Amino acid sequence: MKSMGLEPRLRSQSRVNTLQGRVHFGGALSGRDQNAVNKTVSGLLKLLYPDPTVAVSDEDLEWAVRLALEVRRRVKEQQKRIGSTEFRNTQFSYAMGLDGVEKFVSTPELQSEDSIGSDPLPAGQVWAISPGGQDESTGLFRIEVTESTGGGVRILNQSPPGPFRESARIAEQNLYARSRELVGERNPREHEFALQLRSFDAAKSGEQLGVGVLVALSSALLGKPLKGGLVIAGGITLGGTIEPVHNPIDVVELAMEKGANAALLPVSSRRALIDLSDDVATKVQVLFYSDAPDALRKALHD
């Protein structure tokens, strides 16, 4: 009986003020989107915290925000199918606090574990393609980096393959040597990076992934995600020279097969891609980079 008396009182309340100063929404949300999300968050918080005097924890607030954004995105995805340009941007995001990392919210039905979706990955995560070698074909990998206070790069994979270990070592040295160009005033030597490699097909060695690792390290330190649907290819030497990709057409074709809408390759691949088929060329935008800082600038989400 008490709950029946409480219901009308809760209905007249609003918990939208709980978001003020604590949650900041990304630019993809329209005013109508924010209004809908605010109402959903308010309703969820009233269920969790019927007493308005009780402080809402950051964990519960973020849970409510993510759920509200996911629900609203489903509405927007259906509107997008109509074809109207005003509904085209559905990359909903938020940040907790003024200095929080921007996080993107997708829906489970839009994601596939082994394909490159259109949504940006969290900061520090990069899709990368290894061109392979004599005994291995091209392969898709996801590089995942988290940073914390400390020092050095630590690979989390048990018994990581030699080529990937070498790519990680060279990427780390390039990060230290070119930190000003890559991450500005941040000192990477004051941070520890936990690095993990995930393979999504038969390729396992992680050959020639240096640029992808370097971009992932920089992205984690900057707290900025990369563009959605982007995959990176290319190795790098200790001196910072970009290694050529010997089979760029195979790389771009695999990028299309895995769902990418853009592939970032060394500019030395440009002439070889003249023979790229019209079908692939219309489905995957090929971007070229001259060096590591250029690759990072072109990869970061705007």
Side-chain angles (χ1 to χ4, degrees), residues 50-294:
D51 183 351
T53 64
V54 176
V56 177
S57 70
D58 286 344
E59 182 181 2
D60 287 339
L61 179 58
E62 185 169 10
W63 169 82
V65 167
R66 290 192 66 88
L67 184 56
L69 285 170
E70 181 180 323
V71 171
R72 181 60 186 173
R73 177 162 182 180
R74 284 196 173 93
V75 174
K76 205 73 174 284
E77 290 291 345
Q78 295 305 311
Q79 292 173 326
K80 188 168 70 172
R81 292 187 179 187
I82 301 171
S84 178
T85 55
E86 65 179 297
F87 304 124
R88 192 162 293 165
N89 191 353
T90 58
Q91 292 179 352
F92 287 179
S93 63
Y94 70 97
M96 299 295 292
L98 288 173
D99 299 322
V101 174
E102 185 177 19
K103 300 178 183 178
F104 290 82
V105 176
S106 185
T107 60
E109 66 271 16
L110 293 175
Q111 292 180 314
S112 176
E113 179 68 14
D114 62 348
S115 66
I116 303 167
S118 60
D119 289 327
L121 293 171
Q125 294 191 20
V126 172
W127 288 109
I129 288 181
S130 165
Q134 189 172 3
D135 301 319
E136 188 175 79
S137 60
T138 54
L140 177 68
F141 295 85
R142 192 160 76 216
I143 301 163
E144 302 176 353
V145 174
T146 56
E147 64 85 23
S148 58
T149 56
V153 173
R154 181 166 53 94
I155 300 178
L156 300 181
N157 300 74
Q158 289 188 354
S159 303
F164 177 65
R165 277 202 315 272
E166 182 67 6
S167 290
R169 182 184 71 84
I170 292 175
E172 178 183 9
Q173 295 306 313
N174 272 274
L175 178 62
Y176 297 153
R178 308 190 70 174
S179 62
R180 184 62 62 90
E181 297 172 80
L182 292 165
V183 294
E185 299 299 321
R186 295 171 178 82
N187 184 357
R189 295 184 184 275
E190 296 177 352
H191 296 259
E192 179 182 88
F193 300 89
L195 172 62
Q196 187 167 24
L197 182 70
R198 300 182 64 187
S199 171
F200 289 89
D201 44 36
K204 303 297 179 186
S205 72
E207 183 83 33
Q208 210 171 346
L209 293 179
V211 174
V213 175
L214 182 54
V215 168
L217 294 170
S218 302
S219 167
L221 189 52
L222 292 168
K224 295 181 178 180
L226 305 191
K227 295 172 181 174
L230 176 73
V231 65
I232 298 175
I236 189 170
T237 68
L238 275 174
T241 301
I242 301 299
E243 297 176 338
V245 173
H246 67 88
N247 54 346
I249 290 180
D250 293 342
V251 168
V252 179
E253 287 177 345
L254 180 62
M256 183 191 73
E257 178 186 324
K258 295 295 186 179
N261 55 44
L264 189 57
L265 278 78
V267 69
S268 58
S269 303
R270 184 173 57 87
R271 290 183 181 178
L273 288 172
I274 290 289
D275 296 325
L276 192 67
S277 72
D278 292 345
D279 180 53
V280 178
T282 54
K283 292 178 180 176
V284 179
Q285 179 186 16
V286 181
L287 306 172
F288 298 106
Y289 62 89
S290 57
D291 57 17
D294 187 40

